[in-house]
Amino acid sequence: MRIGFIGLGIMGRPMAGHLVRAGHEVKGYDLKEVAFGGRFATSVADAVRDAEVVITMLPADPQVEAVFPDIVANAPADALYIDFSTITPQTSRRLAEQRKRTLDAPVSGGEKGAVDGVLSIMVGGSEEDFQAALPIFEAVGKTYRLVGGPGAGQFVKAANQLVVGGTYALLAEAIVLMEAAGVDAEAGLDVLAGGLAGSRILELKRRSMLARDFTPGFRIDLHHKDMGIILDAARTAEVFVPMGALTAQLIAAARAQGYGSLDHSALLKVVEGLSR
Ligand code: NAD
């Protein structure tokens, strides 16, 4: 398929690379020139003209809203539009109201999941558009499900980020506790990873956290944005998420302390600071 791909950052670049390797003709665009294996376009308009599928993988609502008018104006009207960005459900719904064949398809799996082409993808939109998007999802993901109409993918992503943020906060507390007690935290985390406390986060991140290597990954700034989406989604659904609210405050503190551009595992620095 002919694909226009906007946003070639930590996630978008490897995803666009997988689409090229799967045999698609990909024109990519970002504010700064990026080598991804396909052709780099000169503008959003250049990337999406003649596209059968338009993809965005941008930081947040303002960036998606900024490029959307260019997509509407320049992409063929029947092109399928897949927004992989994590944004508010309300914005996803608004885009779907303004343009037919629009899917919200936020992802989970982190940079490693994008590089390995094994992302989890939660999709909101119509069954027909979901079916049409399967070759794209197959190239970048491993688990993909249609979870409801427009915006539904973003609600599932909010649930995902609730669990991810909370898990990091508790893992940070576990590390601080073990280190303060003078036990072998590395061996301790190996045992945790093999038991009921085990998780993908523990598996992928325990070594870098112990080494205080907070190279992103997923930036604190982006998780802060996601915590806002979660609290807003909870208000909309009229449910109480006290653990989520606490995690949101810890992530806000990480940002306020200047860690916004570090990986979200840098929550450890905040938790550590509270015990010093
Ligand atoms: P990123 O900041 O690395 O990449 C975003 C890219 O968009 C940047 O290269 C930026 O230059 C580009 N961009 C911004 N405005 C633009 C515009 N107007 N036109 C063209 N390009 C523009 O962010 P990321 O980590 O790749 O995350 C992208 C999205 O995926 C976010 O919504 C994030 O929440 C979500 N996400 C990230 C991860 C992760 O681990 N990094 C995991 C799952 C989901």
Side-chain angles (χ1 to χ4, degrees):
M1 288 194 269
R2 287 188 306 278
I3 301 171
F5 199 120
I6 320 295
L8 302 165
I10 288 178
M11 300 294 282
R13 183 172 176 270
M15 291 169 75
H18 285 303
L19 291 168
V20 172
R21 280 186 291 280
H24 301 291
E25 193 184 311
V26 185
K27 270 205 270 179
Y29 178 69
D30 195 290
L31 297 177
K32 50 192 181 302
E33 189 158 349
V34 175
F36 67 97
R39 190 157 88 67
F40 191 78
T42 54
S43 63
V44 173
D46 179 31
V48 306
R49 202 171 290 124
D50 305 326
E52 291 160 281
V53 179
V54 173
I55 292 172
T56 44
M57 189 43 153
L58 295 164
D61 292 52
Q63 292 81 14
V64 174
E65 286 176 310
V67 305
F68 185 69
D70 278 350
I71 293 172
V72 172
N74 295 287
D78 62 349
L80 178 63
Y81 171 41
I82 306 171
D83 179 27
F84 282 121
S85 325
T86 304
I87 61 171
T88 60
Q90 296 91 307
T91 300
S92 291
R93 281 182 186 151
R94 214 166 37 244
L95 303 185
E97 277 161 19
Q98 288 172 40
R99 193 184 183 286
K100 284 193 191 125
R101 306 209 69 206
T102 291
L103 294 172
D104 51 293
V107 306
S108 176
E111 183 184 11
K112 180 153 174 43
V115 169
D116 294 346
V118 296
L119 292 167
S120 276
I121 312 171
M122 24 238 142
V123 189
S126 76
E127 175 68 37
E128 193 187 344
D129 290 342
F130 177 75
Q131 292 297 331
L134 286 178
I136 307 290
F137 297 152
E138 272 161 22
V140 300
K142 192 167 99 180
T143 309
Y144 26 92
R145 296 275 187 282
L146 183 67
V147 294
Q154 301 295 353
F155 277 109
V156 175
K157 175 67 184 181
N160 182 83
Q161 293 304 79
L162 190 59
V163 175
V164 169
T167 303
Y168 270 114
L170 286 174
L171 178 53
E173 290 183 11
I175 289 172
V176 167
L177 175 65
M178 287 190 286
E179 288 182 344
V183 303
D184 183 342
E186 192 178 347
L189 288 180
D190 286 346
V191 179
L192 261 65
L196 190 58
S199 69
R200 186 119 181 91
I201 289 173
L202 198 44
E203 199 182 301
L204 289 177
K205 290 289 198 167
R206 63 184 194 267
R207 283 187 191 86
S208 60
M209 284 177 80
L210 281 177
R212 274 41 176 191
D213 173 5
F214 301 121
T215 313
F218 186 68
R219 289 179 286 120
I220 287 276
D221 278 343
L222 287 178
H223 213 131
H224 180 68
K225 175 251 319 178
D226 289 355
M227 295 315 294
I229 296 173
I230 291 163
L231 297 183
D232 189 51
R235 267 174 84 95
T236 306
E238 296 189 16
V239 296
F240 180 49
V241 287
M243 303 296 287
L246 182 55
T247 307
Q249 290 296 298
L250 290 169
I251 291 177
R255 195 163 184 265
Q257 289 176 12
Y259 308 141
S261 59
L262 300 185
D263 189 69
H264 50 170
S265 53
L267 209 48
L268 177 57
K269 285 163 87 76
V270 175
V271 173
E272 224 170 9
L274 290 171
S275 293
R276 272 210 194 108

mmCIF file of all heavy atoms in Angstrom, residues 6-12 29-32 34 44 57-60 63 66-67 84-87 106-112 119 157 161 217-219 222-223 225-226 264, ligand 1:
data_model
loop_
_atom_site.group_PDB
_atom_site.id
_atom_site.type_symbol
_atom_site.label_atom_id
_atom_site.label_comp_id
_atom_site.label_asym_id
_atom_site.label_seq_id
_atom_site.Cartn_x
_atom_site.Cartn_y
_atom_site.Cartn_z
ATOM 1 N N ILE A 6 3.327 10.352 9.323
ATOM 2 C CA ILE A 6 3.719 11.627 9.941
ATOM 3 C C ILE A 6 4.134 11.396 11.396
ATOM 4 O O ILE A 6 3.331 10.898 12.191
ATOM 5 C CB ILE A 6 2.548 12.640 9.957
ATOM 6 C CG1 ILE A 6 1.729 12.613 8.662
ATOM 7 C CG2 ILE A 6 3.042 14.056 10.281
ATOM 8 C CD1 ILE A 6 2.463 13.038 7.441
ATOM 9 N N GLY A 7 5.372 11.771 11.728
ATOM 10 C CA GLY A 7 5.863 11.633 13.106
ATOM 11 C C GLY A 7 6.814 10.460 13.213
ATOM 12 O O GLY A 7 6.403 9.328 13.472
ATOM 13 N N LEU A 8 8.111 10.748 13.002
ATOM 14 C CA LEU A 8 9.114 9.669 12.965
ATOM 15 C C LEU A 8 10.025 9.771 14.184
ATOM 16 O O LEU A 8 11.242 9.860 14.077
ATOM 17 C CB LEU A 8 9.925 9.757 11.668
ATOM 18 C CG LEU A 8 9.088 9.674 10.373
ATOM 19 C CD1 LEU A 8 9.914 10.125 9.172
ATOM 20 C CD2 LEU A 8 8.572 8.245 10.162
ATOM 21 N N GLY A 9 9.413 9.767 15.377
ATOM 22 C CA GLY A 9 10.174 9.876 16.624
ATOM 23 C C GLY A 9 10.565 8.506 17.147
ATOM 24 O O GLY A 9 10.770 7.562 16.373
ATOM 25 N N ILE A 10 10.645 8.401 18.467
ATOM 26 C CA ILE A 10 11.085 7.147 19.108
ATOM 27 C C ILE A 10 10.255 5.968 18.611
ATOM 28 O O ILE A 10 10.795 4.901 18.301
ATOM 29 C CB ILE A 10 11.003 7.286 20.650
ATOM 30 C CG1 ILE A 10 12.111 8.219 21.150
ATOM 31 C CG2 ILE A 10 11.101 5.917 21.332
ATOM 32 C CD1 ILE A 10 12.113 8.489 22.649
ATOM 33 N N MET A 11 8.939 6.162 18.506
ATOM 34 C CA MET A 11 8.044 5.065 18.091
ATOM 35 C C MET A 11 7.828 5.032 16.575
ATOM 36 O O MET A 11 7.853 3.969 15.952
ATOM 37 C CB MET A 11 6.689 5.217 18.785
ATOM 38 C CG MET A 11 6.739 5.186 20.298
ATOM 39 S SD MET A 11 7.256 3.601 20.954
ATOM 40 C CE MET A 11 5.755 2.651 20.772
ATOM 41 N N GLY A 12 7.580 6.209 15.991
ATOM 42 C CA GLY A 12 7.200 6.265 14.583
ATOM 43 C C GLY A 12 8.288 5.767 13.642
ATOM 44 O O GLY A 12 7.992 5.074 12.658
ATOM 45 N N TYR A 29 7.201 11.870 7.106
ATOM 46 C CA TYR A 29 7.490 13.287 7.353
ATOM 47 C C TYR A 29 7.599 13.538 8.854
ATOM 48 O O TYR A 29 6.853 12.969 9.664
ATOM 49 C CB TYR A 29 6.396 14.195 6.761
ATOM 50 C CG TYR A 29 6.659 15.652 7.059
ATOM 51 C CD1 TYR A 29 7.728 16.318 6.452
ATOM 52 C CD2 TYR A 29 5.894 16.337 7.999
ATOM 53 C CE1 TYR A 29 8.014 17.638 6.764
ATOM 54 C CE2 TYR A 29 6.175 17.668 8.306
ATOM 55 C CZ TYR A 29 7.236 18.310 7.681
ATOM 56 O OH TYR A 29 7.526 19.608 8.005
ATOM 57 N N ASP A 30 8.562 14.376 9.221
ATOM 58 C CA ASP A 30 8.729 14.836 10.607
ATOM 59 C C ASP A 30 9.280 16.254 10.517
ATOM 60 O O ASP A 30 9.709 16.695 9.440
ATOM 61 C CB ASP A 30 9.720 13.905 11.354
ATOM 62 C CG ASP A 30 9.672 14.093 12.874
ATOM 63 O OD1 ASP A 30 10.127 15.153 13.366
ATOM 64 O OD2 ASP A 30 9.174 13.204 13.576
ATOM 65 N N LEU A 31 9.260 16.976 11.637
ATOM 66 C CA LEU A 31 9.768 18.357 11.623
ATOM 67 C C LEU A 31 11.261 18.374 11.313
ATOM 68 O O LEU A 31 11.779 19.322 10.745
ATOM 69 C CB LEU A 31 9.491 19.036 12.965
ATOM 70 C CG LEU A 31 7.998 19.190 13.316
ATOM 71 C CD1 LEU A 31 7.831 19.809 14.691
ATOM 72 C CD2 LEU A 31 7.274 20.015 12.247
ATOM 73 N N LYS A 32 11.954 17.301 11.750
ATOM 74 C CA LYS A 32 13.381 17.208 11.387
ATOM 75 C C LYS A 32 13.580 15.965 10.531
ATOM 76 O O LYS A 32 12.866 14.974 10.698
ATOM 77 C CB LYS A 32 14.253 17.151 12.651
ATOM 78 C CG LYS A 32 13.784 16.112 13.645
ATOM 79 C CD LYS A 32 14.462 16.256 14.984
ATOM 80 C CE LYS A 32 13.988 15.179 15.963
ATOM 81 N NZ LYS A 32 12.543 15.123 16.234
ATOM 82 N N VAL A 34 14.561 12.565 9.073
ATOM 83 C CA VAL A 34 14.846 11.296 9.751
ATOM 84 C C VAL A 34 15.020 10.212 8.687
ATOM 85 O O VAL A 34 14.229 10.137 7.750
ATOM 86 C CB VAL A 34 13.632 10.902 10.654
ATOM 87 C CG1 VAL A 34 13.836 9.541 11.290
ATOM 88 C CG2 VAL A 34 13.373 11.960 11.727
ATOM 89 N N VAL A 44 3.694 17.631 5.221
ATOM 90 C CA VAL A 44 2.581 16.709 5.465
ATOM 91 C C VAL A 44 1.840 16.468 4.156
ATOM 92 O O VAL A 44 1.544 15.324 3.789
ATOM 93 C CB VAL A 44 1.621 17.276 6.544
ATOM 94 C CG1 VAL A 44 0.372 16.405 6.673
ATOM 95 C CG2 VAL A 44 2.327 17.403 7.891
ATOM 96 N N MET A 57 1.901 9.473 14.188
ATOM 97 C CA MET A 57 2.443 8.999 15.462
ATOM 98 C C MET A 57 3.118 10.192 16.109
ATOM 99 O O MET A 57 4.334 10.373 16.033
ATOM 100 C CB MET A 57 3.431 7.841 15.223
ATOM 101 C CG MET A 57 3.878 7.153 16.508
ATOM 102 S SD MET A 57 2.522 6.867 17.668
ATOM 103 C CE MET A 57 3.084 5.451 18.569
ATOM 104 N N LEU A 58 2.285 11.060 16.718
ATOM 105 C CA LEU A 58 2.710 12.368 17.217
ATOM 106 C C LEU A 58 2.577 12.417 18.733
ATOM 107 O O LEU A 58 1.883 11.586 19.331
ATOM 108 C CB LEU A 58 1.849 13.440 16.548
ATOM 109 C CG LEU A 58 2.048 13.531 15.020
ATOM 110 C CD1 LEU A 58 0.910 14.314 14.366
ATOM 111 C CD2 LEU A 58 3.400 14.172 14.702
ATOM 112 N N PRO A 59 3.224 13.403 19.374
ATOM 113 C CA PRO A 59 3.257 13.402 20.846
ATOM 114 C C PRO A 59 1.883 13.466 21.528
ATOM 115 O O PRO A 59 1.597 12.681 22.429
ATOM 116 C CB PRO A 59 4.092 14.631 21.195
ATOM 117 C CG PRO A 59 4.944 14.879 19.986
ATOM 118 C CD PRO A 59 4.105 14.442 18.815
ATOM 119 N N ALA A 60 1.042 14.446 21.136
ATOM 120 C CA ALA A 60 -0.173 14.702 21.922
ATOM 121 C C ALA A 60 -1.240 15.391 21.073
ATOM 122 O O ALA A 60 -1.048 15.621 19.880
ATOM 123 C CB ALA A 60 0.198 15.570 23.132
ATOM 124 N N GLN A 63 -0.423 18.456 18.493
ATOM 125 C CA GLN A 63 0.300 18.112 17.259
ATOM 126 C C GLN A 63 -0.616 17.377 16.281
ATOM 127 O O GLN A 63 -0.564 17.608 15.075
ATOM 128 C CB GLN A 63 1.529 17.244 17.579
ATOM 129 C CG GLN A 63 2.640 17.961 18.340
ATOM 130 C CD GLN A 63 2.394 18.050 19.833
ATOM 131 O OE1 GLN A 63 1.532 17.362 20.379
ATOM 132 N NE2 GLN A 63 3.158 18.898 20.508
ATOM 133 N N ALA A 66 -2.859 19.867 14.817
ATOM 134 C CA ALA A 66 -2.159 20.775 13.896
ATOM 135 C C ALA A 66 -2.003 20.163 12.510
ATOM 136 O O ALA A 66 -2.087 20.877 11.511
ATOM 137 C CB ALA A 66 -0.783 21.137 14.474
ATOM 138 N N VAL A 67 -1.771 18.851 12.424
ATOM 139 C CA VAL A 67 -1.547 18.260 11.085
ATOM 140 C C VAL A 67 -2.849 17.772 10.444
ATOM 141 O O VAL A 67 -2.907 17.604 9.224
ATOM 142 C CB VAL A 67 -0.510 17.096 11.108
ATOM 143 C CG1 VAL A 67 0.806 17.551 11.724
ATOM 144 C CG2 VAL A 67 -1.026 15.867 11.802
ATOM 145 N N PHE A 84 -1.971 6.581 15.525
ATOM 146 C CA PHE A 84 -1.370 5.718 16.545
ATOM 147 C C PHE A 84 -1.017 6.498 17.821
ATOM 148 O O PHE A 84 -0.600 5.913 18.816
ATOM 149 C CB PHE A 84 -0.076 5.078 16.010
ATOM 150 C CG PHE A 84 -0.277 3.908 15.075
ATOM 151 C CD1 PHE A 84 0.220 3.929 13.783
ATOM 152 C CD2 PHE A 84 -0.917 2.751 15.511
ATOM 153 C CE1 PHE A 84 0.070 2.840 12.930
ATOM 154 C CE2 PHE A 84 -1.079 1.656 14.667
ATOM 155 C CZ PHE A 84 -0.581 1.694 13.377
ATOM 156 N N SER A 85 -1.134 7.846 17.788
ATOM 157 C CA SER A 85 -0.744 8.669 18.937
ATOM 158 C C SER A 85 -1.661 8.409 20.126
ATOM 159 O O SER A 85 -2.812 8.003 19.960
ATOM 160 C CB SER A 85 -0.862 10.157 18.588
ATOM 161 O OG SER A 85 -0.526 10.424 17.251
ATOM 162 N N THR A 86 -1.153 8.694 21.337
ATOM 163 C CA THR A 86 -2.004 8.654 22.523
ATOM 164 C C THR A 86 -2.536 10.061 22.752
ATOM 165 O O THR A 86 -1.767 10.971 23.082
ATOM 166 C CB THR A 86 -1.204 8.203 23.763
ATOM 167 O OG1 THR A 86 -0.599 6.941 23.489
ATOM 168 C CG2 THR A 86 -2.122 8.089 24.977
ATOM 169 N N ILE A 87 -3.834 10.240 22.559
ATOM 170 C CA ILE A 87 -4.465 11.555 22.744
ATOM 171 C C ILE A 87 -5.776 11.349 23.512
ATOM 172 O O ILE A 87 -6.104 10.217 23.880
ATOM 173 C CB ILE A 87 -4.705 12.281 21.388
ATOM 174 C CG1 ILE A 87 -5.636 11.468 20.482
ATOM 175 C CG2 ILE A 87 -3.377 12.546 20.682
ATOM 176 C CD1 ILE A 87 -6.074 12.226 19.220
ATOM 177 N N PRO A 106 -4.039 3.766 19.507
ATOM 178 C CA PRO A 106 -2.866 3.930 20.363
ATOM 179 C C PRO A 106 -2.214 2.572 20.646
ATOM 180 O O PRO A 106 -2.867 1.538 20.550
ATOM 181 C CB PRO A 106 -3.444 4.560 21.639
ATOM 182 C CG PRO A 106 -4.891 4.238 21.626
ATOM 183 C CD PRO A 106 -5.291 4.152 20.186
ATOM 184 N N VAL A 107 -0.929 2.643 20.979
ATOM 185 C CA VAL A 107 -0.159 1.401 21.102
ATOM 186 C C VAL A 107 0.470 1.276 22.485
ATOM 187 O O VAL A 107 0.634 2.255 23.196
ATOM 188 C CB VAL A 107 0.964 1.346 20.039
ATOM 189 C CG1 VAL A 107 0.397 1.558 18.647
ATOM 190 C CG2 VAL A 107 2.076 2.351 20.326
ATOM 191 N N SER A 108 0.857 0.063 22.818
ATOM 192 C CA SER A 108 1.618 -0.198 24.032
ATOM 193 C C SER A 108 2.727 -1.173 23.695
ATOM 194 O O SER A 108 2.602 -1.961 22.759
ATOM 195 C CB SER A 108 0.688 -0.779 25.106
ATOM 196 O OG SER A 108 1.449 -1.126 26.244
ATOM 197 N N GLY A 109 3.805 -1.132 24.470
ATOM 198 C CA GLY A 109 4.929 -2.045 24.212
ATOM 199 C C GLY A 109 6.252 -1.299 24.257
ATOM 200 O O GLY A 109 7.322 -1.901 24.259
ATOM 201 N N GLY A 110 6.173 0.034 24.305
ATOM 202 C CA GLY A 110 7.379 0.849 24.446
ATOM 203 C C GLY A 110 8.237 0.834 23.196
ATOM 204 O O GLY A 110 7.870 0.262 22.165
ATOM 205 N N GLU A 111 9.389 1.479 23.336
ATOM 206 C CA GLU A 111 10.310 1.570 22.205
ATOM 207 C C GLU A 111 10.722 0.173 21.743
ATOM 208 O O GLU A 111 10.798 -0.099 20.543
ATOM 209 C CB GLU A 111 11.542 2.372 22.631
ATOM 210 C CG GLU A 111 12.528 2.587 21.510
ATOM 211 C CD GLU A 111 13.787 3.303 21.988
ATOM 212 O OE1 GLU A 111 13.995 3.452 23.219
ATOM 213 O OE2 GLU A 111 14.582 3.705 21.112
ATOM 214 N N LYS A 112 10.934 -0.732 22.712
ATOM 215 C CA LYS A 112 11.359 -2.089 22.336
ATOM 216 C C LYS A 112 10.276 -2.785 21.509
ATOM 217 O O LYS A 112 10.579 -3.452 20.520
ATOM 218 C CB LYS A 112 11.704 -2.897 23.597
ATOM 219 C CG LYS A 112 12.148 -4.313 23.274
ATOM 220 C CD LYS A 112 13.073 -4.895 24.325
ATOM 221 C CE LYS A 112 13.421 -6.360 24.096
ATOM 222 N NZ LYS A 112 13.733 -6.735 22.723
ATOM 223 N N LEU A 119 4.025 -4.521 18.897
ATOM 224 C CA LEU A 119 3.193 -3.646 19.725
ATOM 225 C C LEU A 119 1.813 -4.247 19.985
ATOM 226 O O LEU A 119 1.322 -5.066 19.195
ATOM 227 C CB LEU A 119 3.032 -2.294 19.021
ATOM 228 C CG LEU A 119 4.314 -1.454 18.926
ATOM 229 C CD1 LEU A 119 4.128 -0.296 17.957
ATOM 230 C CD2 LEU A 119 4.727 -0.951 20.305
ATOM 231 N N LYS A 157 -6.230 2.631 26.118
ATOM 232 C CA LYS A 157 -4.854 3.090 26.337
ATOM 233 C C LYS A 157 -4.730 3.791 27.695
ATOM 234 O O LYS A 157 -3.728 3.647 28.399
ATOM 235 C CB LYS A 157 -4.431 4.031 25.205
ATOM 236 C CG LYS A 157 -3.069 4.671 25.370
ATOM 237 C CD LYS A 157 -1.910 3.687 25.297
ATOM 238 C CE LYS A 157 -0.591 4.414 25.564
ATOM 239 N NZ LYS A 157 0.578 3.550 25.488
ATOM 240 N N GLN A 161 -2.100 2.835 30.609
ATOM 241 C CA GLN A 161 -1.146 3.751 31.244
ATOM 242 C C GLN A 161 -1.346 3.842 32.754
ATOM 243 O O GLN A 161 -0.408 4.124 33.496
ATOM 244 C CB GLN A 161 -1.231 5.139 30.606
ATOM 245 C CG GLN A 161 -0.766 5.171 29.169
ATOM 246 C CD GLN A 161 0.645 4.651 29.025
ATOM 247 O OE1 GLN A 161 0.858 3.434 29.024
ATOM 248 N NE2 GLN A 161 1.610 5.535 28.935
ATOM 249 N N GLY A 217 13.423 5.575 25.613
ATOM 250 C CA GLY A 217 12.210 5.156 26.213
ATOM 251 C C GLY A 217 10.984 6.078 26.066
ATOM 252 O O GLY A 217 10.771 6.682 25.033
ATOM 253 N N PHE A 218 10.252 6.057 27.084
ATOM 254 C CA PHE A 218 9.009 6.827 27.153
ATOM 255 C C PHE A 218 9.237 7.955 28.143
ATOM 256 O O PHE A 218 9.519 7.703 29.317
ATOM 257 C CB PHE A 218 7.863 5.910 27.585
ATOM 258 C CG PHE A 218 6.514 6.568 27.552
ATOM 259 C CD1 PHE A 218 5.943 6.930 26.349
ATOM 260 C CD2 PHE A 218 5.821 6.819 28.724
ATOM 261 C CE1 PHE A 218 4.691 7.549 26.310
ATOM 262 C CE2 PHE A 218 4.577 7.427 28.698
ATOM 263 C CZ PHE A 218 4.009 7.786 27.486
ATOM 264 N N ARG A 219 9.119 9.187 27.655
ATOM 265 C CA ARG A 219 9.489 10.332 28.477
ATOM 266 C C ARG A 219 8.458 10.619 29.569
ATOM 267 O O ARG A 219 7.252 10.451 29.345
ATOM 268 C CB ARG A 219 9.676 11.571 27.596
ATOM 269 C CG ARG A 219 10.903 11.508 26.736
ATOM 270 C CD ARG A 219 11.064 12.729 25.852
ATOM 271 N NE ARG A 219 10.138 12.755 24.747
ATOM 272 C CZ ARG A 219 9.232 13.712 24.538
ATOM 273 N NH1 ARG A 219 9.122 14.721 25.375
ATOM 274 N NH2 ARG A 219 8.432 13.661 23.497
ATOM 275 N N LEU A 222 5.603 12.721 28.475
ATOM 276 C CA LEU A 222 4.499 12.039 27.778
ATOM 277 C C LEU A 222 3.628 11.270 28.775
ATOM 278 O O LEU A 222 2.403 11.202 28.611
ATOM 279 C CB LEU A 222 5.041 11.106 26.689
ATOM 280 C CG LEU A 222 5.604 11.793 25.434
ATOM 281 C CD1 LEU A 222 6.161 10.761 24.455
ATOM 282 C CD2 LEU A 222 4.534 12.630 24.736
ATOM 283 N N HIS A 223 4.248 10.706 29.819
ATOM 284 C CA HIS A 223 3.416 9.992 30.794
ATOM 285 C C HIS A 223 2.562 10.980 31.598
ATOM 286 O O HIS A 223 1.427 10.692 31.978
ATOM 287 C CB HIS A 223 4.249 9.095 31.723
ATOM 288 C CG HIS A 223 3.506 7.861 32.134
ATOM 289 N ND1 HIS A 223 4.027 6.596 32.055
ATOM 290 C CD2 HIS A 223 2.234 7.697 32.585
ATOM 291 C CE1 HIS A 223 3.110 5.716 32.453
ATOM 292 N NE2 HIS A 223 2.028 6.369 32.786
ATOM 293 N N LYS A 225 1.335 13.703 30.358
ATOM 294 C CA LYS A 225 0.207 13.942 29.432
ATOM 295 C C LYS A 225 -0.811 12.804 29.560
ATOM 296 O O LYS A 225 -2.019 13.033 29.658
ATOM 297 C CB LYS A 225 0.776 14.031 28.006
ATOM 298 C CG LYS A 225 -0.208 14.165 26.885
ATOM 299 C CD LYS A 225 -0.371 12.958 25.984
ATOM 300 C CE LYS A 225 0.833 12.190 25.572
ATOM 301 N NZ LYS A 225 0.589 11.020 24.734
ATOM 302 N N ASP A 226 -0.332 11.574 29.624
ATOM 303 C CA ASP A 226 -1.244 10.420 29.698
ATOM 304 C C ASP A 226 -2.004 10.379 31.025
ATOM 305 O O ASP A 226 -3.174 9.983 31.059
ATOM 306 C CB ASP A 226 -0.468 9.109 29.508
ATOM 307 C CG ASP A 226 0.006 8.939 28.067
ATOM 308 O OD1 ASP A 226 -0.349 9.782 27.223
ATOM 309 O OD2 ASP A 226 0.727 7.969 27.793
ATOM 310 N N HIS A 264 10.265 7.244 31.875
ATOM 311 C CA HIS A 264 9.315 7.259 33.008
ATOM 312 C C HIS A 264 9.785 6.421 34.197
ATOM 313 O O HIS A 264 9.302 6.596 35.301
ATOM 314 C CB HIS A 264 7.878 6.915 32.590
ATOM 315 C CG HIS A 264 7.683 5.693 31.774
ATOM 316 N ND1 HIS A 264 6.425 5.180 31.523
ATOM 317 C CD2 HIS A 264 8.551 4.875 31.151
ATOM 318 C CE1 HIS A 264 6.544 4.115 30.754
ATOM 319 N NE2 HIS A 264 7.814 3.916 30.520
HETATM 320 P P1 NAD B 1 8.564 11.442 20.121
HETATM 321 O O1 NAD B 1 8.516 12.795 20.723
HETATM 322 O O2 NAD B 1 9.828 10.653 20.151
HETATM 323 O O3 NAD B 1 8.088 11.502 18.564
HETATM 324 C C1 NAD B 1 7.127 12.383 18.074
HETATM 325 C C2 NAD B 1 7.629 12.948 16.746
HETATM 326 O O4 NAD B 1 6.624 13.802 16.200
HETATM 327 C C3 NAD B 1 8.903 13.806 16.906
HETATM 328 O O5 NAD B 1 9.936 13.270 16.084
HETATM 329 C C4 NAD B 1 8.460 15.201 16.465
HETATM 330 O O6 NAD B 1 9.474 15.925 15.764
HETATM 331 C C5 NAD B 1 7.293 14.853 15.549
HETATM 332 N N1 NAD B 1 6.382 15.981 15.349
HETATM 333 C C6 NAD B 1 5.844 16.820 16.266
HETATM 334 N N2 NAD B 1 5.016 17.716 15.679
HETATM 335 C C7 NAD B 1 5.039 17.434 14.354
HETATM 336 C C8 NAD B 1 4.415 18.001 13.210
HETATM 337 N N3 NAD B 1 3.590 19.055 13.331
HETATM 338 N N4 NAD B 1 4.666 17.464 11.998
HETATM 339 C C9 NAD B 1 5.491 16.405 11.863
HETATM 340 N N5 NAD B 1 6.120 15.809 12.904
HETATM 341 C C10 NAD B 1 5.901 16.329 14.127
HETATM 342 O O7 NAD B 1 7.382 10.623 20.811
HETATM 343 P P2 NAD B 1 7.166 9.029 20.839
HETATM 344 O O8 NAD B 1 7.806 8.496 22.078
HETATM 345 O O9 NAD B 1 7.496 8.447 19.517
HETATM 346 O O10 NAD B 1 5.579 8.978 21.107
HETATM 347 C C11 NAD B 1 4.631 9.236 20.080
HETATM 348 C C12 NAD B 1 3.253 8.895 20.634
HETATM 349 O O11 NAD B 1 3.218 7.495 20.997
HETATM 350 C C13 NAD B 1 2.853 9.669 21.894
HETATM 351 O O12 NAD B 1 1.478 9.967 21.860
HETATM 352 C C14 NAD B 1 3.174 8.702 23.024
HETATM 353 O O13 NAD B 1 2.365 8.942 24.162
HETATM 354 C C15 NAD B 1 2.852 7.360 22.362
HETATM 355 N N6 NAD B 1 3.585 6.188 22.880
HETATM 356 C C16 NAD B 1 4.921 6.254 23.146
HETATM 357 C C17 NAD B 1 5.575 5.126 23.651
HETATM 358 C C18 NAD B 1 7.050 5.141 23.986
HETATM 359 O O14 NAD B 1 7.517 4.210 24.684
HETATM 360 N N7 NAD B 1 7.841 6.110 23.552
HETATM 361 C C19 NAD B 1 4.861 3.931 23.862
HETATM 362 C C20 NAD B 1 3.510 3.895 23.530
HETATM 363 C C21 NAD B 1 2.875 5.031 23.050
#
